[in-house]
């Protein structure tokens, strides 16, 4: 897929105020320091579309970006490690849960995971929640440029072994690096395929 246009549409904390049209949505979420904004900017070819920051927890709202005039990329607040108050974290958790539970336009979520680290309970628990609630998702391993190929392979195998303790199959996954454009074509191609399948189902 070639991204020809990417524009910010709205930010809010109320799912009821999200765009009313029926365009497909793809939600990106992960821990606060996982490199989500950088990945979004890489995918959309815009260096400052999503705000990046040295401070974790920059994204604190549901952010909708319209891509190619026909689908939305949704940037959701990071979970874990954000230096915000407990009340703010509860608010984030509430509208994130509401977004996934109520947003019928959502086609798939992308759960971002830093490939350098061992599987974290907070990530595994969130994936478990998505699975239990029947929400399709893919894992996006970020920061692949920080490891050598063999180390990447070992980390993914480690993830597989842990996930397959509770999952029948390993969820769909991508290996990416925002600084090296690794995985860009694969992620966008997957979204393009899902969009195409939706169009066929609507015929």
């Amino acid at each position: 897929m070639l991204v020809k246009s990417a524009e910010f549409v709205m930010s809010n904390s109320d799912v009821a105020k999200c765009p009313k049209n029926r365009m497909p949505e793809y939600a990106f979420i992960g821990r606060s320091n996982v490199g989500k904004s950088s990945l979004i900017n890489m995918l959309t070819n815009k260096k400052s579309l999503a705000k990046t920051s040295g401070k974790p927890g920059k994204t604190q709202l549901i952010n909708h970006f319209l891509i190619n005039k026909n689908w939305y990329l949704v940037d959701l607040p990071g979970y874990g490690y954000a230096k915000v108050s407990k009340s703010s974290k509860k608010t984030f958790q509430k509208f994130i849960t509401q977004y996934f539970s109520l947003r019928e336009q959502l086609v798939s979520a992308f759960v971002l995971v830093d490939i350098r680290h061992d599987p974290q309970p907070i990530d595994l628990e969130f994936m478990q929640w998505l699975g239990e609630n029947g929400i399709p998702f893919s894992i996006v391993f970020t920061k692949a440029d920080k490891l050598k190929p063999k180390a990447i392979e070992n980390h993914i195998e480690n993830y597989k072994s842990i996930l397959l303790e509770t999952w029948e199959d390993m969820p769909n996954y991508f290996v990416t690096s925002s600084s090296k454009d690794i995985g860009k074509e694969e992620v966008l191609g997957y979204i393009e395929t899902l969009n195409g399948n939706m169009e066929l189902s609507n015929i």
Side-chain angles (χ1 to χ4, degrees):
M1 177 195 299
L2 180 64
V3 174
K4 298 178 180 179
S5 65
E7 55 192 283
F8 171 76
V9 177
M10 66 168 62
S11 292
N12 68 83
S13 60
D14 185 350
V15 177
K17 294 180 181 177
C18 288
K20 305 297 185 195
N21 58 45
R22 305 298 299 176
M23 289 184 188
E25 294 184 0
Y26 300 88
F28 287 71
I29 189 169
R31 281 185 292 134
S32 302
N33 54 353
V34 77
K36 178 164 53 68
S37 296
S38 296
L39 179 77
I40 289 171
N41 293 337
M42 175 192 78
L43 293 175
T44 58
N45 299 319
K46 288 199 172 184
K47 291 183 179 180
S48 59
L49 186 69
K51 298 294 189 294
T52 57
S53 171
K55 295 181 179 179
K58 185 72 174 178
T59 304
Q60 298 183 5
L61 296 167
I62 303 171
N63 298 304
H64 275 76
F65 301 97
L66 181 60
I67 311 300
N68 288 348
K69 308 291 185 184
N70 64 4
W71 61 275
Y72 287 110
L73 187 157
V74 183
D75 181 11
L76 294 174
Y79 51 79
Y81 306 133
K83 293 184 178 180
V84 296
S85 67
K86 288 184 179 179
S87 61
S88 293
K89 284 186 179 180
K90 285 184 179 179
T91 301
F92 297 166
Q93 196 168 29
K94 182 179 179 181
F95 68 70
I96 288 171
T97 301
Q98 288 180 334
Y99 173 83
F100 283 114
S101 300
L102 302 175
R103 196 66 178 156
E104 295 179 357
Q105 291 90 332
L106 177 68
V107 177
S108 181
F110 291 89
V111 181
L112 277 60
V113 172
D114 188 331
I115 200 167
R116 299 174 298 175
H117 305 313
D118 290 333
Q120 302 294 306
I122 193 170
D123 294 322
L124 298 174
E125 289 167 9
F126 182 66
M127 293 178 204
Q128 189 70 28
W129 182 85
L130 290 175
E132 290 173 353
N133 286 273
I135 299 164
F137 74 92
S138 295
I139 300 172
V140 178
F141 292 104
T142 63
K143 306 184 182 183
D145 58 292
K146 306 295 185 182
L147 294 178
K148 293 183 178 179
K150 186 61 178 177
I152 290 173
E153 185 180 323
N154 290 339
H155 275 257
I156 292 174
E157 286 303 316
N158 187 28
Y159 237 95
K160 283 182 180 178
S161 65
I162 290 176
L163 284 171
L164 292 177
E165 291 176 4
T166 52
W167 292 77
E168 289 185 6
D169 300 296
M170 174 69 178
N172 187 46
Y173 70 89
F174 301 93
V175 176
T176 71
S177 165
S178 299
S179 62
K180 303 291 186 181
D181 277 6
I182 295 171
K184 179 178 181 178
E185 291 184 7
E186 288 78 5
V187 173
L188 290 175
Y190 179 66
I191 292 173
E192 185 174 39
T193 298
L194 292 178
N195 283 343
N197 290 341
M198 288 186 63
E199 290 174 2
L200 287 174
S201 67
N202 290 330
I203 295 175

